[in-house]
């Protein structure tokens, strides 16, 4: 709750109610106390505000939190009278009836304390503007109104001013330093700049502090969120150096948040357009639609990209992306927002390692081109560690996970599509085997790289010829031939170890191995037969085979 006390004489509650702008305000109780003087206005966000209120304050509230708490209602009015406040105005929420606050009305009548009801079509700003305008007329002061301030802020934007100009204009109005911070805690604009540093603001928001040290003194900070389509895109921070913010100041700051959101939306639209063109270019390149290096570099130059030094590539895919798109009615926007968070996290992680990047995204896939750097030269392990760090950071920032694939390096830019293709196949193969590893290099696939380039039909047929008969036999005879075969390879064919591993008699294991060889027509003593059977068993755990089985059920 913000505090502000006017030294001027003020206005009585009765005079305030006579203002045309406040026509329709209903006196619920305490009519005999309407001559109490209003010296300041504030908004009561919670009932436990007694340590902060000051004499002569006029409070506004929804009191929604105490509508069923009659004990708190009974205590509230006497406490406000004890603090010598001017009055209390309640805006009844939908479904909230007068009888639910009858205890407060009774106390207001008993103690001659004005208890007022705000009309449904009123806002807190309506009351604030009306009363402060009255102060202006009565005392010859040039008090600002929310409407005047809003017009001034809008004019600054219409004149071509950006976030910095909004900060400067707001500073002129409320006479306190202003900073507008993005959802990534980076300062988008500030005025005066000497009052703010990125480190101070980042620490402030991270710790959810309401005070900041400037020049060795601690000052209170007011945070007002900037919300666009239910998403938090930034915060307006105001440092109470000049004076304590009053309710009118806060209403003006909240109004400026709406103006700032327009500016941020415009910036977002421009940025989205730039990103769209870059995405289209990057994915056309990776899909081998640009064959000439001259054309490639020229198109990149038009988009402001200098590709010559970008030889390292990571390919990131968002896990379970379909769930992201269907998590609510605004799934597309949710996915876009998630990708913007991922993009920022990647950029920040790479920047911390002094690495520049170019990022493109399409659907679940993100291409991350990384500029050549001594720390990455011919060092695959460093690239994998960097990819793992990105995965770890994303897991902390969002509830979603990702998998990153890495292909073999290429010298020519026109050959990078092959690196991209390998990275994509690494991810697909890793997912096919339900691998929990989140960073996978093409070379890590080992022998399974052979199956990447073969057709799925051939792979499925290869698995089916050797493994399906064993599965069918187990199903019909309630046996464990598949389990025994897996143990055979885990124990390197040692019969005693297999028996011990499966808690099964040696003779039973010998019989099962014999049946496996009969059914598959593979001799496990033959090195080539053994290799085929082992490969088929490994591949049987992949999505390739599971899809085949599902299609033939």
């Amino acid at each position: 709750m913000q505090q502000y006390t006017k030294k001027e004489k003020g206005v009585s509650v009765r005079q305030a109610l006579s203002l045309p702008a406040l026509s329709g305000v209903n006196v619920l109780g305490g009519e005999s106390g309407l001559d109490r003087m209003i010296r300041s206005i504030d908004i009561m966000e919670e009932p436990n505000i007694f340590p902060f209120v000051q004499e002569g304050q006029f409070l506004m509230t929804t009191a929604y939190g105490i509508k069923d708490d009659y004990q708190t209602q009974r205590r509230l009015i006497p406490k406000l009278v004890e603090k010598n406040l001017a009055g209390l105005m309640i805006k009844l929420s939908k479904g909230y009836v007068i009888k639910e606050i009858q205890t407060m009305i009774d106390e207001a009548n008993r103690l001659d304390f004005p208890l007022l009801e705000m009309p449904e079509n009123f806002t807190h700003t309506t009351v604030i503007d009306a009363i402060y305008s009255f102060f202006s007329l009565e005392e010859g002061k040039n008090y600002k109104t929310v409407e005047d301030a809003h017009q001034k802020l809008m004019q600054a934007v219409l004149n071509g001013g950006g976030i910095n100009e909004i900060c400067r204009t707001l500073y002129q109005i409320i006479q306190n330093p202003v900073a507008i911070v993005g959802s990534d805690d980076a300062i988008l604009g500030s005025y005066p700049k000497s009052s703010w540093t990125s480190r101070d603001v980042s620490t402030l928001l991270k710790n959810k502090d309401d005070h900041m040290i400037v020049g060795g003194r601690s000052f209170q900070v007011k945070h007002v969120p900037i919300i666009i389509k239910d998403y938090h895109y930034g915060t307006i921070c105001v440092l109470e150096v000049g004076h304590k913010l009053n309710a009118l100041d806060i209403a003006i700051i909240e109004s400026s948040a709406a103006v700032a959101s327009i500016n941020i939306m415009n910036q977002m639209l421009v940025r989205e357009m730039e990103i769209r063109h870059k995405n289209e270019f990057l994915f056309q390149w990776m899909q081998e639609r640009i064959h000439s290096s001259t054309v490639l570099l020229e198109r990149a130059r038009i988009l402001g990209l200098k590709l010559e030094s970008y030889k390292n590539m990571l390919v990131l895919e968002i896990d379970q992306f379909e769930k992201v798109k269907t998590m609510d009615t605004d799934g597309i926007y949710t996915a876009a927002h998630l990708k913007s968070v991922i993009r920022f996290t990647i950029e920040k992680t790479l920047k911390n390692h002094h690495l520049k990047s170019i990022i493109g995204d399409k659907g679940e896939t993100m291409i991350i081109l990384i500029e050549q750097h001594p720390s990455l030269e011919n060092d695959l392990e460093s690239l994998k560690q960097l990819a793992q760090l990105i995965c770890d950071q994303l897991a902390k920032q969002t509830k979603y996970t990702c998998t990153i694939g890495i292909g073999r390096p290429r010298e020519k830019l026109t050959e990078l599509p092959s690196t991209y293709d390998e990275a994509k196949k690494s991810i697909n193969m890793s997912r096919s085997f339900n691998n929990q590893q989140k960073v996978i290099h093409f070379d890590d696939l080992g022998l399974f790289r052979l199956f990447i380039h073969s057709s799925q039909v051939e792979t499925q047929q290869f698995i089916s010829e050797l493994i399906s008969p064993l599965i069918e036999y187990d199903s019909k005879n309630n046996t464990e031939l598949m389990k025994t075969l897996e143990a055979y390879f885990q124990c390197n064919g040692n019969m005693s170890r297999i028996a011990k591993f499966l808690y099964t008699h040696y003779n039973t294991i010998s019989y099962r191995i014999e049946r496996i060889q009969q059914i598959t027509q593979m001799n496990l003593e033959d090195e080539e037969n053994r290799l085929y059977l082992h490969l088929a068993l490994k591949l049987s755990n992949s999505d390739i085979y599971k899809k085949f089985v599902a299609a033939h059920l």
Side-chain angles (χ1 to χ4, degrees):
M1 172 178 166
Q2 302 295 327
Q3 307 170 48
Y4 179 71
T5 303
K6 291 181 62 63
K7 295 179 181 178
E8 293 82 8
K9 183 179 178 181
V11 58
S12 71
V13 177
R14 193 183 304 278
Q15 288 174 307
L17 291 177
S18 69
L19 297 172
L22 298 186
S23 174
V25 173
N26 181 31
V27 179
L28 297 175
E31 190 168 0
S32 300
L34 291 179
D35 291 320
R36 285 175 175 267
M37 299 303 297
I38 301 173
R39 292 186 172 84
S40 68
I41 314 169
D42 217 325
I43 298 168
M44 186 179 79
E45 297 168 347
E46 55 182 46
N48 188 25
I49 44 78
F50 306 124
F52 308 102
V53 297
Q54 295 183 8
E55 182 177 341
Q57 280 184 327
F58 180 79
L59 297 180
M60 293 181 288
T61 184
T62 62
Y64 189 80
I66 62 171
K67 70 171 186 174
D68 299 317
D69 188 347
Y70 301 113
Q71 189 174 358
T72 300
Q73 287 186 32
R74 189 171 289 107
R75 289 199 306 263
L76 180 61
I77 300 298
K79 281 285 188 181
L80 299 181
V81 171
E82 182 184 324
K83 294 286 186 175
N84 200 21
L85 267 66
L88 177 66
M89 179 179 285
I90 297 179
K91 182 168 186 177
L92 298 178
S93 303
K94 190 175 180 180
Y96 199 157
V97 294
I98 294 293
K99 68 178 182 180
E100 291 180 307
I101 56 167
Q102 188 60 48
T103 303
M104 292 172 65
I105 296 173
D106 294 341
E107 288 297 298
N109 284 327
R110 183 176 70 83
L111 297 170
D112 297 329
F113 183 80
L115 181 63
L116 313 178
E117 180 188 2
M118 185 188 296
E120 187 177 348
N121 62 327
F122 274 32
T123 64
H124 294 141
T125 301
T126 308
V127 180
I128 292 167
D129 274 356
I131 295 177
Y132 275 99
S133 296
F134 186 87
F135 283 150
S136 176
L137 292 171
E138 288 292 296
E139 300 160 20
K141 301 283 183 180
N142 186 29
Y143 284 92
K144 51 193 177 289
T145 66
V146 175
E147 186 178 352
D148 290 342
H150 184 78
Q151 289 298 325
K152 191 171 183 179
L153 287 161
M154 281 300 296
Q155 195 59 50
V157 173
L158 292 173
N159 289 339
I163 296 293
N164 280 316
E165 185 60 24
I166 292 173
C167 292
R168 190 183 71 83
T169 304
L170 186 56
Y171 170 79
Q172 290 176 342
I173 296 170
I174 63 175
Q175 294 296 299
N176 274 312
V178 177
I180 296 180
V181 182
S183 58
D184 55 4
D185 296 351
I187 296 179
L188 303 178
S190 63
Y191 195 90
K193 293 188 181 299
S194 58
S195 298
W196 307 92
T197 69
S198 296
R199 185 187 62 190
D200 289 338
V201 171
S202 180
T203 302
L204 190 78
L205 296 176
K206 184 178 179 181
N207 299 332
K208 296 182 171 58
D209 291 339
D210 58 1
H211 284 80
M212 194 168 92
I213 304 296
V214 179
R217 293 177 58 195
S218 177
F219 294 96
Q220 193 162 352
V221 182
K222 174 68 178 177
H223 304 274
V224 175
I226 300 170
I227 307 295
I228 305 172
K229 292 182 75 174
D230 295 329
Y231 287 103
H232 176 243
Y233 275 87
T235 305
I236 296 177
C237 301
V238 179
L239 192 61
E240 295 184 342
V241 173
H243 63 87
K244 288 284 186 181
L245 298 172
N246 57 38
L248 178 60
D249 291 326
I250 294 168
I252 289 170
I253 296 167
E254 289 173 346
S255 177
S256 70
V259 177
S261 72
I262 296 171
N263 196 285
I264 291 175
M265 282 292 283
N266 288 336
Q267 288 184 4
M268 285 170 57
L269 288 172
V270 172
R271 180 169 166 78
E272 283 173 9
M273 187 65 69
E274 291 175 352
I275 289 173
R276 193 176 301 132
H277 287 306
K278 287 180 182 178
N279 286 343
E280 184 179 346
F281 164 70
L282 288 172
F283 280 90
Q284 281 186 352
W285 174 20
M286 292 306 152
Q287 290 163 5
E288 298 187 276
R289 297 181 194 169
I290 306 173
H291 303 288
S292 164
S293 58
T294 304
V295 173
L296 180 68
L297 292 173
E298 179 59 22
R299 284 191 58 182
R301 187 190 62 77
I302 293 170
L303 293 169
L305 304 175
K306 295 181 179 180
L307 295 181
E308 290 83 349
S309 59
Y310 288 86
K311 300 290 180 66
N312 297 297
M313 183 195 297
L314 303 176
V315 176
L316 179 151
E317 289 197 1
I318 303 167
D319 296 331
Q320 298 181 313
F321 187 64
E322 288 304 313
K323 288 186 179 180
V324 181
K325 294 196 297 183
T326 57
M327 66 178 290
D328 60 22
T329 54
D330 198 15
I332 295 173
Y333 191 78
T334 302
H337 178 70
L338 174 62
K339 286 197 280 190
S340 71
V341 172
I342 293 174
R343 182 182 288 268
F344 167 74
T345 304
I346 294 168
E347 289 172 345
K348 187 175 181 180
T349 302
L350 295 177
K351 188 177 180 181
N352 288 341
H353 286 74
H354 311 289
L355 297 169
K356 294 180 181 178
S357 62
I358 297 172
I359 302 171
D361 72 81
K362 185 178 182 181
E364 66 179 349
T365 305
M366 300 187 82
I367 297 169
I368 308 164
L369 294 175
I370 305 173
E371 192 176 36
Q372 287 286 75
H373 191 273
S375 65
L376 294 176
E377 250 178 66
N378 301 317
D379 190 352
L380 173 59
E381 198 55 39
S382 294
L383 198 60
K384 290 172 79 171
Q385 287 174 4
L386 192 63
Q388 187 62 56
L389 184 59
I390 290 171
C391 288
D392 293 342
Q393 290 298 319
L394 288 177
K396 289 179 183 177
Q397 295 290 330
T398 73
K399 63 182 180 180
Y400 299 100
T401 59
C402 69
T403 303
I404 295 180
I406 307 173
R408 292 163 171 166
R410 302 296 196 283
E411 280 302 314
K412 295 180 181 179
L413 289 173
T414 50
E415 294 175 343
L416 272 182
S418 297
T419 303
Y420 171 78
D421 186 55
E422 289 173 353
K424 286 277 289 182
K425 286 175 176 176
S426 299
I427 294 171
N428 292 337
M429 187 60 79
S430 177
R431 285 177 172 170
S432 289
F433 289 99
N434 299 311
N435 194 335
Q436 298 303 307
Q437 193 175 342
K438 288 301 176 185
V439 176
I440 182 87
H441 189 276
F442 186 69
D443 288 341
D444 295 337
L445 298 176
L447 196 59
F448 293 106
R449 287 176 308 195
L450 299 174
F451 292 90
I452 286 175
H453 300 290
S454 63
S455 73
Q456 279 200 8
V457 173
E458 288 176 2
T459 304
Q460 289 164 349
Q461 188 65 30
F462 172 74
I463 302 166
S464 184
E465 285 174 359
L466 298 175
I467 299 300
S468 291
L470 294 177
I471 295 173
E472 289 172 9
Y473 186 89
D474 278 346
S475 177
K476 289 179 181 177
N477 300 282
N478 195 28
T479 53
E480 294 185 333
L481 297 187
M482 280 290 290
K483 187 175 179 181
T484 303
L485 183 61
E486 288 172 357
Y488 177 88
F489 289 111
Q490 282 179 297
C491 299
N492 295 317
N494 187 309
M495 303 294 279
S496 297
R497 285 176 58 194
I498 298 169
K500 189 175 180 181
F501 180 75
L502 295 178
Y503 300 100
T504 307
H505 196 277
Y506 182 95
N507 292 339
T508 303
I509 296 299
S510 295
Y511 171 76
R512 290 181 186 175
I513 295 298
E514 186 61 33
R515 289 299 295 142
I516 289 170
Q517 292 180 111
Q518 290 172 0
I519 292 169
T520 61
Q521 297 183 357
M522 289 279 127
N523 181 5
L524 286 170
E525 296 296 323
D526 182 278
E527 184 178 352
E528 191 173 286
N529 281 192
R530 194 164 57 245
L531 174 61
Y532 289 162
L533 204 52
H534 197 183
L535 276 174
L537 181 65
K538 286 281 189 182
L539 289 169
S540 70
N541 291 318
S542 71
D543 285 345
I544 296 170
Y545 185 65
K546 288 174 183 175
K547 288 176 183 175
F548 172 78
V549 172
H552 291 78
L553 286 177

